[in-house]
Amino acid sequence: MPELSESTVRDILDSHRDPETGRPMGSMGQIGSVEVSGQTINATIGISSHSRPIQADVKEALESKLVAAFPGVTVNLTFQLHARPATRVGQTALRAKSVIAVGSGKGGVGKSTVAASIALTLRQFGCKVGLMDADVYGPSIPHLLGLSGRPGFSESKRIDPIMLKDDSDLPPMPVMSMGFLVDPNEAVIWRGPMLHGSINQFLGMTEWGELDYLIIDMPPGTGDVALTLSQAIPLAGSVVVCTPQEVALLDAVKAIAMFRKVNIPILGMVENMSGFLCPDCGKTYDIFGQGGAREKADEMDVSFLGGLPIDIKLRVAGDEGRLPQVIASDDVARGPLEKITQAMVRTLASRNAAAPPKPTLPTL
Ligand code: ADP
């Protein structure tokens, strides 16, 4: 057993792997002051905004390593922000650490609600987030977020996204959607090259700023946009949204197969409308049975990220464009959404620990 000293404690902290990069935290300058006084350890740990959702995991892991090495010690860890800029993604001007596509096998399962809610929850955790609505056939993100307006052009001829702002201290969230560019009642017919062009422009021409996460709401079902994206940039992964009914699960299987085909890794499955949260008694009723999505995820060798119950408040908030306010408040929907978001970031972290991400090219 090592002797309790600042240097032995520092060795343990230094060697712990950073969830974002998978590299030892010491080598990245993330371990600040370390003090040992009697049987008490005080240390300051730097964590990047990308890893904020799983800061509690890092704290717990470090505490248990220290207690295992020095039984009986008291550990006080203080976390502070470790600045680490995002680099450019692929050949584009986009600077984002993790680009995540949210897809589904069919429409109406709550994919846009889940995509927007994941983006908003990441923002609540303190991450720098952008939201891109690639559901060009039915762009619903502006409506869900209560945003309108026309994106302008910056001096450098780049597109200025619409910014979601609120009274909180959180930075504004850039949002880009075809819904800002075309009349919501107008039918848009997209031919392949146009679709390809607009997705690439959204990605590379938008003034996103520097992001930890760019969440992309994908069109349901078809693989055209997934293919365009996978050719344009390396994606960190995808999240597949489904509902618990057996038929919906079959669609989810198709969505998983589609992402696999274009080499976009699957981070996991989210079961939306899993049970009904009764507003009167607070109890959740399993209308469509339970565990179907989890079983299907296991069968497909995909992580299950969690379930989100049917919550009338969420539906009303979406319809009224108040999703950001509901997620910012201490609403019941926030609990499951935090769990889903943390599970997603955890899956990214475990991949980074196994092997830092490498760009992949699609095989057709
Ligand atoms: P999709 O993007 O899959 O077409 P949407 O996100 O637009 O689906 O959701 C479809 C409808 O279902 C919307 O009215 C939305 O408010 C509602 N909805 C989605 N998820 C939930 C939920 N968990 N609880 C209640 N209503 C939901």
Side-chain angles (χ1 to χ4, degrees):
M1 208 175 287
E3 203 177 302
L4 176 58
S5 73
E6 279 163 17
S7 94
T8 49
V9 168
R10 190 174 277 281
D11 283 348
I12 291 174
L13 297 175
D14 276 353
S15 65
H16 189 76
R17 288 187 184 273
D18 170 55
E20 182 198 328
T21 58
R23 293 195 220 128
M25 290 178 105
S27 69
M28 317 279 294
Q30 285 172 263
I31 308 302
S33 63
V34 175
E35 276 168 33
V36 175
S37 144
Q39 285 294 100
T40 303
I41 298 170
N42 296 309
T44 312
I45 315 292
I47 192 129
S48 65
S49 51
H50 184 275
S51 301
R52 279 285 199 207
I54 53 167
Q55 180 175 306
D57 294 13
V58 178
K59 184 166 184 279
E60 216 181 292
L62 290 176
E63 281 168 355
S64 43
K65 277 188 180 175
L66 291 171
V67 171
F70 313 109
V73 286
T74 304
V75 182
N76 300 315
L77 300 179
T78 310
F79 280 79
Q80 62 187 25
L81 187 66
H82 179 82
R84 183 183 293 136
T87 51
R88 281 170 50 173
V89 187
Q91 305 294 312
T92 64
L94 168 68
R95 283 173 302 147
K97 291 179 178 177
S98 303
V99 181
I100 296 171
V102 179
S104 66
K106 61 169 186 170
V109 298
K111 168 188 54 64
S112 300
T113 305
V114 171
S117 300
I118 287 178
L120 292 165
T121 308
L122 284 166
R123 179 171 177 258
Q124 290 294 328
F125 273 119
C127 308
K128 289 173 266 174
V129 193
L131 178 59
M132 174 171 144
D133 185 359
D135 191 347
V136 287
Y137 303 103
S140 52
I141 294 290
H143 185 86
L144 289 171
L145 300 184
L147 291 178
S148 58
R150 284 218 176 244
F153 282 93
S154 66
E155 272 173 26
S156 51
K157 299 269 183 300
R158 292 169 54 76
I159 307 168
D160 278 328
I162 301 292
M163 303 300 268
L164 175 89
K165 296 181 192 136
D166 49 29
D167 329 322
S168 70
D169 296 338
L170 300 170
M173 180 172 90
V175 181
M176 198 48 205
S177 168
M178 199 49 77
F180 296 135
L181 302 175
V182 294
D183 187 317
N185 301 317
E186 200 180 303
V188 185
I189 299 167
W190 290 100
R191 292 181 204 286
M194 263 166 78
L195 189 68
H196 193 77
S198 63
I199 295 294
N200 281 330
Q201 274 189 349
F202 274 19
L203 270 182
M205 295 287 293
T206 302
E207 206 67 80
W208 291 107
E210 194 203 305
L211 303 176
D212 288 317
Y213 297 90
L214 177 65
I215 303 296
I216 305 184
D217 182 21
M218 302 287 285
T222 65
D224 322 15
V225 172
L227 180 60
T228 296
L229 277 176
S230 66
Q231 286 171 333
I233 48 164
L235 273 88
S238 58
V239 170
V240 173
V241 182
C242 66
T243 52
Q245 304 94 323
E246 194 56 38
V247 276
L249 290 174
L250 293 178
D251 286 308
V253 169
K254 278 192 222 153
I256 290 172
M258 184 270 291
F259 280 125
R260 285 196 168 140
K261 181 132 195 193
V262 296
N263 272 353
I264 298 179
I266 319 274
L267 296 175
M269 239 161 108
V270 171
E271 184 179 79
N272 189 27
M273 313 203 194
S274 66
F276 167 68
L277 178 73
C278 174
D280 299 330
C281 67
K283 236 175 99 179
T284 304
Y285 293 92
D286 292 317
I287 302 177
F288 308 112
Q290 217 198 5
R294 190 185 284 274
E295 273 168 33
K296 195 54 88 188
D298 280 352
E299 221 177 90
M300 301 285 293
D301 204 15
V302 163
S303 306
F304 179 70
L305 300 178
L308 182 64
I310 299 177
D311 178 346
I312 295 174
K313 265 200 185 164
L314 263 188
R315 208 269 307 143
V316 173
D319 284 357
E320 294 178 352
R322 285 189 309 102
L323 200 57
Q325 289 83 331
V326 166
I327 289 173
S329 70
D330 233 352
D331 196 84
V332 270
R334 181 134 162 210
L337 284 167
E338 281 185 354
K339 283 202 182 119
I340 290 166
T341 305
Q342 285 171 318
M344 185 188 85
V345 176
R346 230 171 254 138
T347 308
L348 273 178
S350 64
R351 286 188 186 198
N352 294 345
K358 282 197 198 82
T360 49
L361 286 173
T363 46
L364 288 176

